[in-house]
Amino acid sequence: MLNNNMEKTNKTEKKKGPGGARPGAGRPKGGTNRLTAREILETAENMLGKPFVVSLMEGYIETINSGDTRNRVTYEKIILDKTATTIIEAEITDSSSAVEAKQAAFAEALAKLQGKVVD
């Protein structure tokens, strides 16, 4: 049985109170909450009182001296990931005949693209 004395309310009415967008709320434009690698390294250096790379190498040497193979491999991966791109260099030199052959092949391909016949 329905209570006829209850007040009927419109369910589409919005509640008043907190919620929704508020002026000045949120992160400022251009602001970021992301840490940068530079900030992390500078903080570590300030806390340790020495450059991070020195602390890294001290930890690596400690793993070698203690025979800690698992952590030694981890240190080596970190070090190689950061240094491999600067260590690996490739020098390519071509003989003059190889250069001439490449030039001829390029000229032939270009002529074909332009619709010319090459002898």
Side-chain angles (χ1 to χ4, degrees):
M1 199 171 203
L2 291 175
N3 184 351
N4 292 332
N5 296 329
M6 286 182 64
E7 188 178 318
K8 292 183 180 179
T9 59
N10 186 354
K11 291 188 177 186
T12 59
E13 288 181 17
K14 293 185 177 181
K15 293 182 180 181
K16 294 181 181 178
R22 291 180 292 287
R27 182 173 37 136
K29 284 190 176 184
T32 179
N33 57 359
R34 295 182 182 156
L35 284 174
T36 65
R38 182 179 306 276
E39 290 172 325
I40 293 169
L41 292 176
E42 286 175 355
T43 302
E45 289 176 0
N46 290 335
M47 292 177 73
L48 296 168
K50 54 186 156 188
F52 180 75
V53 70
V54 172
S55 299
L56 179 72
M57 295 311 296
E58 287 174 349
Y60 176 57
I61 291 168
E62 188 177 319
T63 62
I64 293 170
N65 292 338
S66 67
D68 185 354
T69 308
R70 174 182 278 166
N71 284 326
R72 179 180 177 175
V73 170
T74 302
Y75 272 100
E76 289 170 351
K77 284 180 183 177
I78 292 169
I79 294 165
L80 287 174
D81 282 346
K82 296 300 175 192
T83 60
T85 55
T86 57
I87 293 173
I88 300 171
E89 293 181 14
E91 185 178 327
I92 301 172
T93 55
D94 286 333
S95 65
S96 59
S97 60
V99 171
E100 289 170 7
K102 288 178 184 178
Q103 287 173 337
F106 181 76
E108 183 179 344
L110 184 60
K112 286 181 182 177
L113 287 173
Q114 295 174 341
K116 297 179 182 176
V117 177
V118 179
D119 292 334

